[in-house]
Amino acid sequence: MFYKFNAHRVAKADSEKDSTAARRIFQKLTALQRRWAGLMSTGAGKLTSKGLKAVCIMLFLAGSVFCGRLIVQGLMHSGKSKIHGGAGVIRNFADEIQKRQRAEYQIKMYLDSLEKAVVEDSLNQLNQIKK
């Protein structure tokens, strides 16, 4: 019913877990991160405080310009009515709501007609059986 405990089985299972692909990928990524951090540390250690501030400001400005560009492209892509005024946005939104309501109404009417057809067929079959 119960098996005997074998210590070598537990040690083997732990060593098998260490050799999984996920563990190896994790170890390689952490090694890469440590090397990158070392390079950054030595590179930043060579710069003066003014140089570090200048690099930080340049990176901040470059990131800000890039984000601003993405925002402007997004607004231009979404349509001119959204840039020039809110009325166009509200009008477009109202049109979308009306289209969805019309589609829902048409689906409801279609399903009702199917239900009526089934009831009529049932009544017709019942009348034919009674004759």
Side-chain angles (χ1 to χ4, degrees):
M1 185 168 164
F2 295 104
Y3 66 92
K4 292 184 179 181
F5 176 74
N6 290 324
H8 68 279
R9 280 188 170 178
V10 175
K12 189 176 183 181
D14 288 340
S15 66
E16 287 174 3
K17 287 181 186 175
D18 290 339
S19 65
T20 61
R23 173 75 62 182
R24 284 181 290 188
I25 291 171
F26 175 74
Q27 289 171 347
K28 288 181 182 181
L29 285 176
T30 54
L32 180 68
Q33 287 174 348
R34 286 188 182 123
R35 278 187 276 155
W36 177 253
L39 287 172
M40 293 300 291
S41 176
T42 56
K46 294 177 183 177
L47 292 174
T48 63
S49 63
K50 286 183 180 181
L52 281 174
K53 288 178 186 175
V55 168
C56 287
I57 290 171
M58 297 274 285
L59 288 173
F60 173 76
L61 290 175
S64 299
V65 168
F66 183 71
C67 290
R69 180 175 167 254
L70 289 177
I71 290 170
V72 169
Q73 280 184 344
L75 291 174
M76 297 299 278
H77 181 69
S78 64
K80 291 183 179 180
S81 63
K82 291 183 180 179
I83 294 174
H84 292 300
V89 174
I90 294 171
R91 202 172 311 119
N92 290 341
F93 188 67
D95 290 343
E96 288 296 322
I97 291 174
Q98 287 177 353
K99 287 179 186 176
R100 288 183 184 172
Q101 287 175 345
R102 268 187 254 125
E104 288 174 4
Y105 178 74
Q106 289 173 350
I107 289 171
K108 183 179 175 184
M109 294 303 293
Y110 174 71
L111 292 176
D112 285 346
S113 68
L114 288 178
E115 183 181 2
K116 288 177 185 176
V118 169
V119 170
E120 287 177 13
D121 287 344
S122 299
L123 291 175
N124 288 339
Q125 287 179 357
L126 183 64
N127 287 337
Q128 288 176 359
I129 293 173
K130 287 184 179 181
K131 288 182 183 179

